[in-house]
Amino acid sequence: MPLIGENLGHYYQKDRWIIKDTNLSVAPGEVLGLSGYSGCGKTTLSRILAGYISPRIGRVSIGHKTLERRAFRPVQLIYQHPEKAINPKWRMRDVLIESYTPSQDILDAFEIREEWMNRWPVELSGGEKQRFCIVRSLNPATKYIIADEMTTMLDAITQARIWHAFLGICKSRNIGVIVVSHESSLLNRLCDNIYKVGSGG
Amino acid sequence: MSNVQTKPLLQVDHLSIGFSQYVKGTQKRIIHPIADMHVEINEGEIVAVVGASGSGKSLLAHAVLGILPSNAIFSGKMLYRGEELTPARMEKLRGREISFIPQSVNYLDPLMRVGRQVQIGLDPRTARAQQEKLFLQYGLQKNDGRLFPFELSGGMLRRVLFATSVREGVRLVIADEPTPGIHPQALSEILRQLKQFAEDGAGVMLITHDIISALEIADRVAVIKDGATVEISEASAFEGNGERLKTEYTQRLWRALPQNDFDLEFKREAVR
Amino acid sequence: MQGVQEGLNVRKKMILLLAFSSGFLLVILFLSFWLSNDNLRLSSAKNLAPNLEHLFGTDWLGRDMFTRTIKGLRLSLALGAFTSLLSVIIATLMGVCAATFGRTVDAVISWLIDLFIGMPHLVFMVLICFIAGGGVYGIVLGISLTHWTALARLVRSEVLQIKNVEYIQISKSYGKSAWFIARKHILPFIFPQLMIGFLLMFPHVILHEAALTFLGFGLSPQTPAVGIILSEAMSHISTGKWWLVVFPGVLLVGVIKSFDSIGEKLRILMEPSSANE
């Protein structure tokens, strides 16, 4: 059941369309890239696809069913800044468990150490926190993951490692992935298809 | 290596910056986001300072400019044109001989006309004429100076930011992450402007996490990791498989870029 | 690693001050239980100036002023605690509702807040107190119903600010209920403000209790309350019995100042912008 966005359009101020007439679909297990530069609306588009905001026009569906807002959303979004995506007053273990209790395999795949679990968010580096954010989005009920500039703030080595582990798990679970980035060389490395955002708007 | 004739404009040696923080209750702890930083910039040279976010590269800029927060403690040596950079001297040089191009256009005053913001620090008698000349130079209209920041586009605001940093007698330009995810056209324009500074004889410190675009203009690259300088190499050493790079970390960093052998990291792991 | 051992840092000094203020309040509380009620009986030792036996002197009925003052302050503290708690609860409910239940609710609550702030609150308090029939009941209602507004505003803006934070959005995307988010994310975030609001409300309540009683709308004359002591003593100042006013007054100011400084110090320690100085 593919994730489909049909005829999407959105604006924040009336008649200043950020995205318009956008159609895209991702199949399970597919890796789609969204490319574009700052201010082109790729973050808005990914928030619409993940159900964080409803588009002014158009609809998002998985297998002809529109997304339900109250239940666990099968489309998960991973943000660029992990420090904002984690409650600073929670220990890292609670941050993970808020979503689900991950198996040791997943923790090992992302090299998350047991001792990090009892730490506060401020005591971990950005790359370490981002691993937690990724693991927690890999809930068993997750069907699609949108990675919005997920590794932009990290160094190249960490970036390569995280993507390797992440895509490995997504492939094995047949999770569809949307990679949002301004770096076309990264998208070329990772994606099956690339969609250019903002060519119309 | 660096030319013997050109004397170093800025030398930073063994720089360490600490912050005192309260941990639990009344216990104070010193954290060291910068432990051991070295950088050297010559006149007319562009040095890129490359590192991930949180590696302390912005703090380096703030230390040189003397705009660290009050609970910071620093040690080490900073020499500017052969003399020590004291807080008093920083204040005198800041905005005159040393100019700073901040990360975000939010650093502009939203309630002041952009023309006036560019005139700050210029000789009041000639400020207006100079500002108009700068606007011309950066492809801005003469009457754009009467506009407020919100009336200009992002690209134009960046040009205004550049115009605020150009001063008669600027010797050192520090640009903090001027290229975050922007359009390739705008990117090449910014790089061209930085190059212009260097051609006019100023030293340029380009702080960024984007190695590839930094390499387009930089003469040398300093690689920063966890608050310490790992290596300083000629920009030309970043090529091929990085055989000419000095440290293993930099080689791996170079090869892990998506433009290069992105997957190499895991192949190595697999062999191990 | 310089500066690790620098003796009394700012935080230690603050904690010392905190301990001093709370110690002072505890001593009053302790004394109020320890002093016997016998000292309040009428006796022949009338109108004595302060001496070793009667530290604050005695009044025109021969009651020991020290005992009366301390017992009065205990009543004030108890009233303060109860009233502050009540108004913090009202403020939290109003603030959270205004921030989460949409525009109409927000408009209504904001209008209510403006109404309460716009009215001179002493008049309002007297009115509520009078309607409720005076006494402890009237004072608690009168003060708590007029003093929730500032804190409610604060809570509202805090909740509005945190409501759209990314980690709460993510929590929603896991299908977590509004109750879960309120309990686990929002309440811990606003708790420090509530705590400080509670402490800073104390001196207000005590002062207003004294004022209401002084004006004759509050407690009945036989209860040992600071307001009553002061209002009775007023008529005796002219005859030179200064101790009837000065000691209870000074002690009242001391208690209020203590609460004020506890609240203020905690606020400075908890606020991230000033916490590391």
Side-chain angles (χ1 to χ4, degrees), chain A residues 47 52 70-73 76 79 81 84-90 98-99 136, chain C residues 165-167 169-176 180-181 184-185 188-190 192:
Chain A
R47 288 171 67 83
Y52 282 80
R70 296 252 167 244
F72 181 88
R73 289 189 218 139
Q76 285 290 316
Y79 290 82
H81 300 287
K84 290 189 204 158
I86 290 176
N87 188 337
K89 298 191 172 181
W90 284 22
E98 188 183 15
S99 172
R136 108 189 139 149
Chain C
V165 163
E166 286 179 3
Y167 58 82
Q169 302 247 335
I170 290 170
S171 193
K172 277 186 197 155
S173 84
Y174 297 147
K176 300 288 181 199
F180 177 91
I181 290 171
K184 294 280 186 173
H185 287 293
F189 181 79
I190 57 172

Side-chain angles (χ1 to χ4, degrees), chain C residues 56 93 119 178 262:
Chain C
F56 289 4
L93 283 178
M119 295 275 277
I262 291 175

Side-chain angles (χ1 to χ4, degrees), chain C residues 82-130:
Chain C
F82 194 66
T83 313
S84 302
L85 191 69
L86 199 65
S87 69
V88 166
I89 290 173
I90 299 175
T92 314
L93 283 178
M94 290 293 203
V96 171
C97 288
T100 46
F101 290 141
R103 275 184 197 194
T104 335
V105 179
D106 190 17
V108 170
I109 291 177
S110 296
W111 178 82
L112 255 179
I113 291 176
D114 287 343
L115 180 78
F116 274 96
I117 288 180
M119 295 275 277
H121 66 226
L122 195 63
V123 176
F124 229 171
M125 240 160 22
V126 168
L127 200 73
I128 296 173
C129 216
F130 190 71

Side-chain angles (χ1 to χ4, degrees), chain C:
Chain C
M1 299 279 163
Q2 68 267 59
V4 180
Q5 286 295 326
E6 51 185 53
L8 282 184
N9 55 37
V10 183
R11 210 172 253 209
K12 281 189 184 143
K13 275 185 211 151
M14 281 200 178
I15 285 178
L16 219 66
L17 270 172
L18 267 178
F20 181 76
S21 301
S22 347
F24 174 65
L25 295 173
L26 279 178
V27 165
I28 287 181
L29 212 61
F30 172 74
L31 276 176
S32 72
F33 286 104
W34 183 66
L35 290 171
S36 111
N37 273 329
D38 293 345
N39 297 343
L40 295 180
R41 291 226 190 97
L42 314 185
S43 73
S44 53
K46 293 176 189 170
N47 294 334
L48 289 180
N51 56 41
L52 277 180
E53 202 181 331
H54 302 284
L55 282 174
F56 289 4
T58 58
D59 65 3
W60 61 99
L61 295 171
R63 294 176 292 190
D64 178 42
M65 284 307 288
F66 183 67
T67 313
R68 278 193 89 200
T69 308
I70 297 288
K71 296 236 176 210
L73 283 174
R74 180 182 71 186
L75 184 76
S76 298
L77 288 178
L79 263 179
F82 194 66
T83 313
S84 302
L85 191 69
L86 199 65
S87 69
V88 166
I89 290 173
I90 299 175
T92 314
L93 283 178
M94 290 293 203
V96 171
C97 288
T100 46
F101 290 141
R103 275 184 197 194
T104 335
V105 179
D106 190 17
V108 170
I109 291 177
S110 296
W111 178 82
L112 255 179
I113 291 176
D114 287 343
L115 180 78
F116 274 96
I117 288 180
M119 295 275 277
H121 66 226
L122 195 63
V123 176
F124 229 171
M125 240 160 22
V126 168
L127 200 73
I128 296 173
C129 216
F130 190 71
I131 293 170
V136 174
Y137 198 57
I139 285 180
V140 169
L141 271 184
I143 302 177
S144 56
L145 283 180
T146 46
H147 279 74
W148 54 274
T149 48
L151 190 61
R153 264 195 180 172
L154 195 72
V155 170
R156 173 179 167 273
S157 72
E158 291 279 320
V159 175
L160 277 180
Q161 187 201 330
I162 194 192
K163 203 173 64 159
N164 290 319
V165 163
E166 286 179 3
Y167 58 82
I168 289 189
Q169 302 247 335
I170 290 170
S171 193
K172 277 186 197 155
S173 84
Y174 297 147
K176 300 288 181 199
S177 65
W179 172 235
F180 177 91
I181 290 171
R183 205 161 36 99
K184 294 280 186 173
H185 287 293
I186 295 178
L187 269 185
F189 181 79
I190 57 172
F191 184 74
Q193 318 290 348
L194 294 182
M195 187 71 204
I196 290 155
F198 175 74
L199 279 170
L200 290 181
M201 191 88 71
F202 247 95
H204 262 270
V205 176
I206 295 172
L207 264 184
H208 283 313
E209 178 265 319
L212 280 175
T213 310
F214 180 86
L215 291 173
F217 296 99
L219 304 169
S220 56
Q222 56 274 30
T223 36
V226 181
I228 290 174
I229 294 172
L230 290 177
S231 86
E232 283 176 352
M234 281 305 281
S235 49
H236 294 272
I237 296 181
S238 50
T239 56
K241 293 171 200 134
W242 53 272
W243 59 91
L244 294 181
V245 171
V246 170
F247 291 117
V250 167
L251 225 53
L252 178 68
V253 171
V255 166
I256 288 166
K257 186 69 200 134
S258 300
F259 268 114
D260 200 53
S261 74
I262 291 175
E264 198 60 26
K265 294 285 173 306
L266 280 181
R267 192 179 61 76
I268 293 171
L269 287 179
M270 283 182 185
E271 252 177 29
S273 60
S274 51
N276 277 324
E277 272 166 15

Side-chain angles (χ1 to χ4, degrees), chain B residues 11-29:
Chain B
Q11 265 179 295
V12 177
D13 255 333
H14 294 291
L15 177 71
S16 118
I17 300 177
F19 290 98
S20 63
Q21 264 190 343
Y22 287 98
V23 201
K24 287 257 144 74
T26 63
Q27 262 177 7
K28 261 194 171 183
R29 168 178 78 169

